Amino acid sequence: MIAITLSVLSSAIAYLIANPKYMVWFEIKNFKPSEFDSPDQFGSGLNMQPELLRMLQKARTIANVPFKINSGYRTTEHNKKVGGVSNSSHLKGFAV
């Protein structure tokens, strides 16, 4: 049982190292990736840009009050549905 757990952990660490944009989530204390998901794509909050997440976390720490994320990452389909512009920063994970 322990060998399997260590194997899974090792695979997860290797994945994170190979995909550094996911490493930012270890720095983010007050938000979860799911808060940034496009409503039509589970897990899409992981597409948020690390620079934006760091700035948002810094603002949250300074404000010392909870922030509610109304819109984070958007798929093209969801962006069209809400009337977003075709070059919306939400499509690239640069907006909240």
Side-chain angles (χ1 to χ4, degrees):
M1 180 75 168
I2 292 174
I4 293 171
T5 303
L6 291 176
S7 174
V8 169
L9 181 60
S10 177
S11 294
I13 291 170
Y15 182 81
L16 289 171
I17 291 169
N19 297 280
K21 77 175 189 173
Y22 300 133
M23 294 294 287
V24 70
W25 290 103
F26 290 104
E27 302 170 34
I28 306 303
K29 307 291 184 224
N30 298 105
F31 302 100
K32 299 176 290 190
S34 60
E35 293 180 80
F36 299 91
D37 280 355
S38 186
D40 59 340
Q41 186 176 39
F42 175 78
S44 59
L46 291 171
N47 293 315
M48 294 299 294
Q49 296 299 317
E51 308 89 71
L52 176 69
L53 294 170
R54 287 185 185 103
M55 288 190 291
L56 192 59
Q57 179 59 54
K58 186 174 183 178
R60 167 59 178 85
T61 300
I62 291 168
N64 199 30
V65 295
F67 288 7
K68 170 130 175 68
I69 306 302
N70 295 326
S71 181
Y73 180 80
R74 291 182 190 163
T75 62
T76 303
E77 295 79 17
H78 183 66
N79 191 56
K80 286 178 188 174
K81 182 178 178 181
V82 298
V85 295
S86 62
N87 63 344
S88 172
S89 293
H90 287 278
L91 297 168
K92 301 174 192 119
F94 277 114
V96 289

